[in-house]
Amino acid sequence: MHFKPAYYYKLLVSLVFLLAAASVVAADFSLEQVANGVYVHYGVHEDLDDGYHGDISNIGFIIGSKGVAVIDSGGSLKTGQRLRAALREITALPILYVINTHIHPDHIFGNAAFLADQPQFIGHEKLANAMELRKPAYLKQGQQLLHDDFVGSDIIKPTVSVAQSLVLDLGQRKLLLQAYPNAHTNTDLTVFDETSATLWTGDLLFIERTPSLDGDIKGWLKALDQLQQLKNIKQAVPGHGPVTRDFSSALNHEARYLNLLLEDIRAAIKQGKTMEQTMDSAAQAESGNWQLFNAVNRRNINLLYPALEWE
Ligand SMILES: [Zn+2]
């Protein structure tokens, strides 16, 4: 038996391609410096059910003269380790704080990568309890979705909790943390870097990716009003999507979707539509404005419809 040279050539080409793809996966952990000392790693817009790799949310860090605060750690120990390695290429200063903007697994499961740094872990006053309640389900889900990539990922609870607000000093740089009542979740926290006037919103703000609800839609809209009142924001880092210098428009864009969702579900209930019918119809006018719209919008309706039925 003998193969044509073309066969070997094709084999060689595909091997080279495979190796190149593998090295890209290993090395490709991009960081963008969005202001002096403020670094963001952008997650990709993958759905949990569709090729989730534990790296879908925006995570990053802020560097002061004394040390560093990490803001969200990614969806797995592996993602947290990659963030830490990227951080260490930029600064050798101690990692003083790891802040979690809320409970969701794509934001917290990299925490363990920073344990050896002995930082304060910081979260909303309700975060520790939410972590305790969701731990079994989140660990199971992470293993099912990420397999080997989830090894070593664990729930690391806050050592400092924020009831209303808190100021952290990174050395010649202060971070103002603000807790919110039930909104995107019941554990939402924003981080404002005074020096650069950069606001990290966590998932109170989605850009491009369809906003997903896990808290209280009316509380979320109220939080958006509150954020709209802030006048000194130069730029905002959303939980998902690109950094924006037009914070007000981004808030309006999200509020428009959430308001329509609320209106359409209320109207559907009034008209006697079933939840299934409502899942196919509510907020459809927004479908062209967002990524992953159908899956996320259906989940939002699935959560909201039963709650609004009893309004
Ligand atoms: Zn979230």
Side-chain angles (χ1 to χ4, degrees):
M1 192 198 275
H2 98 276
F3 295 110
K4 291 177 186 154
Y7 173 84
Y8 291 104
Y9 178 72
K10 272 186 195 159
L11 191 70
L12 187 68
V13 166
S14 52
L15 267 174
V16 167
F17 182 78
L18 272 175
L19 286 170
S23 72
V24 165
V25 169
D28 180 26
F29 191 86
S30 56
L31 276 177
E32 187 182 323
Q33 186 173 199
V34 298
N36 192 20
V38 182
Y39 292 84
V40 180
H41 170 74
Y42 294 106
V44 291
H45 300 317
E46 289 165 338
D47 195 24
L48 284 189
D49 302 334
D50 176 29
Y52 177 57
H53 288 91
D55 185 12
I56 62 170
S57 56
N58 294 338
I59 58 181
F61 51 91
I62 299 177
I63 307 172
S65 65
K66 277 192 331 201
V68 187
V70 170
I71 303 172
D72 283 341
S73 56
S76 65
L77 172 67
K78 191 178 164 188
T79 302
Q81 285 170 335
R82 296 177 77 198
L83 175 64
R84 192 181 178 284
L87 183 158
R88 277 291 171 248
E89 280 180 23
I90 292 165
T91 177
L93 285 171
I95 296 166
L96 302 174
Y97 306 105
V98 174
I99 303 165
N100 291 131
T101 60
H102 65 292
I103 176 71
H104 283 152
D106 49 323
H107 299 259
I108 62 166
F109 267 121
N111 282 7
F114 300 93
L115 277 174
D117 298 297
Q118 297 185 293
Q120 297 285 359
F121 289 92
I122 304 202
H124 190 283
E125 65 170 343
K126 296 209 169 125
L127 183 62
N129 188 38
M131 283 175 160
E132 187 60 36
L133 290 172
R134 293 184 177 199
K135 183 174 177 170
Y138 276 4
L139 287 173
K140 198 173 152 197
Q141 182 196 46
Q143 280 145 13
Q144 279 168 353
L145 293 172
L146 294 172
H147 311 284
D148 289 351
D149 278 354
F150 197 66
V151 170
S153 306
D154 204 358
I155 291 282
I156 308 295
K157 291 181 187 169
T159 52
V160 174
S161 69
V162 185
Q164 289 187 333
S165 59
L166 180 73
V167 177
L168 300 178
D169 188 358
L170 298 180
Q172 290 161 346
R173 181 162 220 160
K174 281 189 179 138
L175 303 184
L176 277 51
L177 278 57
Q178 178 70 46
Y180 293 77
N182 208 355
H184 166 68
T185 66
N186 68 343
T187 55
D188 301 315
L189 200 66
T190 55
V191 182
F192 181 62
D193 170 46
E194 261 188 352
T195 307
S196 68
T198 302
L199 182 75
W200 294 64
T201 65
D203 282 5
L204 286 175
L205 179 62
F206 283 73
I207 295 179
E208 295 177 350
R209 188 187 176 103
T210 312
S212 71
L213 177 70
D214 187 20
D216 178 73
I217 192 164
K218 285 166 259 176
W220 196 351
L221 285 163
K222 220 171 152 187
L224 295 183
D225 280 343
Q226 209 177 320
L227 291 169
Q228 196 68 263
Q229 305 306 315
L230 302 174
K231 295 297 172 214
N232 52 347
I233 309 298
K234 226 184 237 171
Q235 57 181 357
V237 183
H240 300 265
V243 167
T244 181
R245 287 183 171 270
D246 194 353
F247 185 46
S248 179
S249 297
L251 292 171
N252 284 334
H253 191 67
E254 182 173 82
R256 200 190 53 232
Y257 165 67
L258 293 175
N259 275 314
L260 182 67
L261 183 66
L262 189 57
E263 272 169 38
D264 280 1
I265 298 174
R266 278 175 174 156
I269 291 168
K270 251 190 194 162
Q271 292 159 17
K273 283 191 188 170
T274 64
M275 179 154 86
E276 260 316 308
Q277 290 167 329
T278 308
M279 283 167 82
D280 291 332
S281 61
Q284 280 304 317
E286 282 284 317
S287 70
N289 296 332
W290 303 95
Q291 293 187 33
L292 306 170
F293 185 82
N294 281 329
V296 178
N297 187 54
R298 287 179 72 85
R299 283 199 292 263
N300 288 339
I301 296 163
N302 196 46
L303 184 97
L304 268 171
Y305 183 100
L308 293 173
E309 248 184 327
W310 303 104
E311 226 180 15

